[in-house]
């Protein structure tokens, strides 16, 4: 899920300390920051085990969460491209039917490796799972993933319960792409422009273009290494945040017109919420993936600590996206509705009416 992780996490980096004390370098700065480095996430033994399993495998299935965002799909595609270069048979998939890659991610390289969920073997040899905070986010691929003798989970969500046979979970990392960068380093894969495009997309989306609290010196150091391959970050950013259909503007107008501000919610810190009926998406030919960024507009009012957007699927299911400015743990609130995520950015799905869902969410909000 794209969002702002809790705490001041870090990304993998290779800063030089030559000719300076440790406190005068990026590496030294990282030493005093809270949160583990990516290479320290999980444990060294787990990293060694996962790398060994990949080395033994002939075929690897790489799965990201349903309705993938830039970090999920970028991470899976980067790992898949790297493993294909190592001679592995690879498939990338996610458990939606139909599978829809958001138009904003259409530029990502490696999409020829994406296959429908039905094309994933019933018993995969090895599954690598990216950015999946909970088993339910595997969708149609849940049973196939758990049928694999090896299910390695790479994630950065604090709410991840630790499923699978191998867990590489770092809540301090700003994006799952950071863990993939570490995986590539351990596999001896050098960065090229395709890999860098996928990883940069993952890091940029989950740091809100490097403005969220989890962004650290090491995050920028990783970005610098990616940019050094020659990728065009200006074109990537334009596609991610500054391009939409005209229909999106009409859907946005309706959502903002329906926005409600509740100053007494969240113990007086304030809640602003809205919802997007499926009929609006049909009327203006807009996909639900295209409106993922709506929450970042709704979170702007200074009066509200928490923002919530409900998006309706064809079957009536409401997908909730929430954000907090720091005083409220929205991951805990979303967990009470069956979801999860980060302290500052989380989500859930529900089948009740809009008013019922908002009431449940409102009741779950607690100041930290």
């Amino acid at each position: 899920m794209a969002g702002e992780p809790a705490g001041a996490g870090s990304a993998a980096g290779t800063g030089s300390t030559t000719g300076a004390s440790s406190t005068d370098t990026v590496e030294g700065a990282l030493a005093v920051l809270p949160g583990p480095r990516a290479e320290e996430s999980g444990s060294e033994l787990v990293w060694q085990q996962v790398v060994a399993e990949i080395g033994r495998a002939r075929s690897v299935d790489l799965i990201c969460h349903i309705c993938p965002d830039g970090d999920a799909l970028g991470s899976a595609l980067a790992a898949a491209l790297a493993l294909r270069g190592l001679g592995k048979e690879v498939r990338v998939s996610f458990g939606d039917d139909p599978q829809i890659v958001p138009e904003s991610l259409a530029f990502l390289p490696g999409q020829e490796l994406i296959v429908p969920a039905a094309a994933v073997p019933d018993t995969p040899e090895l599954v690598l799972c990216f950015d999946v905070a909970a088993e339910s986010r595997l969708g149609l691929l849940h049973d196939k993933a758990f049928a694999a003798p090896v299910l390695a989970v790479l994630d950065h969500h604090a709410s991840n319960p630790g499923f699978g046979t191998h867990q590489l979970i770092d809540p301090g990392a700003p994006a799952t792409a950071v863990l993939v960068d570490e995986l590539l380093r351990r596999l001896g894969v050098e960065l090229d422009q395709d890999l860098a495009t996928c990883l940069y997309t993952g890091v940029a989306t989950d740091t809100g273009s490097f403005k969220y609290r989890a962004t650290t010196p090491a995050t920028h150091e990783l970005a610098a290494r990616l940019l050094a391959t020659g990728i065009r970050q200006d074109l990537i950013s334009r596609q991610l945040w500054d391009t939409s259909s005209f229909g999106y503007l009409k859907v946005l107008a309706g959502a903002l017109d329906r926005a409600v501000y509740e100053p007494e919610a969240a113990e007086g810190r304030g809640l602003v919420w809205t919802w997007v009926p499926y009929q609006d998406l049909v009327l203006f030919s807009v996909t639900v993936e295209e409106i993922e960024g709506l929450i970042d507009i709704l979170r702007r009012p200074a009066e509200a600590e928490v923002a919530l957007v409900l998006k309706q699927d064809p079957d009536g299911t409401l997908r909730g996206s929430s954000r907090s400015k720091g005083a409220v743990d929205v991951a805990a609130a979303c967990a009470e509705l069956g979801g999860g995520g980060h302290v500052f950015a989380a989500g859930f799905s529900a089948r009740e009416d809009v008013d019922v869902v908002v009431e449940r969410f409102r009741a779950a909000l607690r100041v930290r």
Side-chain angles (χ1 to χ4, degrees), residues 214-237:
T215 304
T216 68
T219 313
H220 289 290
E221 185 182 47
L222 170 57
R225 288 195 288 113
L226 300 175
L227 293 179
T229 66
I231 61 173
R232 288 285 303 275
Q233 80 277 9
D234 57 331
L235 299 182
I236 293 173
S237 296

Side-chain angles (χ1 to χ4, degrees), residues 2-16:
E4 183 174 354
S10 59
T14 55
S16 171

Side-chain angles (χ1 to χ4, degrees), residues 63-187:
I63 298 173
C64 59
H65 62 67
I66 56 175
C67 304
D69 58 9
D71 190 25
L73 192 59
S75 294
L77 289 174
L81 288 168
L83 294 181
R84 183 177 66 175
L86 295 175
K88 306 296 180 180
E89 176 187 340
V90 297
R91 287 174 293 266
V92 176
S93 192
F94 49 97
D96 290 309
D97 185 18
Q99 283 183 338
I100 299 175
V101 173
E103 186 64 29
S104 63
L105 300 178
F107 67 91
L108 286 176
Q111 294 193 43
E112 70 277 6
L113 301 175
I114 299 177
V115 303
V120 175
D122 290 337
T123 307
E125 181 181 359
L126 168 63
V127 171
L128 299 180
C129 184
F130 301 92
D131 206 44
V132 180
E135 294 180 28
S136 60
R137 299 284 283 165
L138 290 167
L140 298 174
L141 287 170
H142 177 278
D143 292 348
K144 292 183 176 183
F146 277 86
V150 178
L151 171 57
V153 177
L154 289 83
D155 187 30
H156 71 128
H157 292 91
S159 62
N160 193 306
F163 63 92
T165 62
H166 298 74
Q167 299 89 34
L168 292 167
I169 301 169
D170 182 2
T176 296
V178 171
L179 301 175
V180 177
D181 174 66
E182 175 63 17
L183 178 64
L184 301 192
R185 184 187 71 81
R186 289 172 178 267
L187 291 171

Side-chain angles (χ1 to χ4, degrees), residues 26 92 137 243 268 319:
V26 170
V92 176
R137 299 284 283 165
T243 302
R319 299 189 205 175

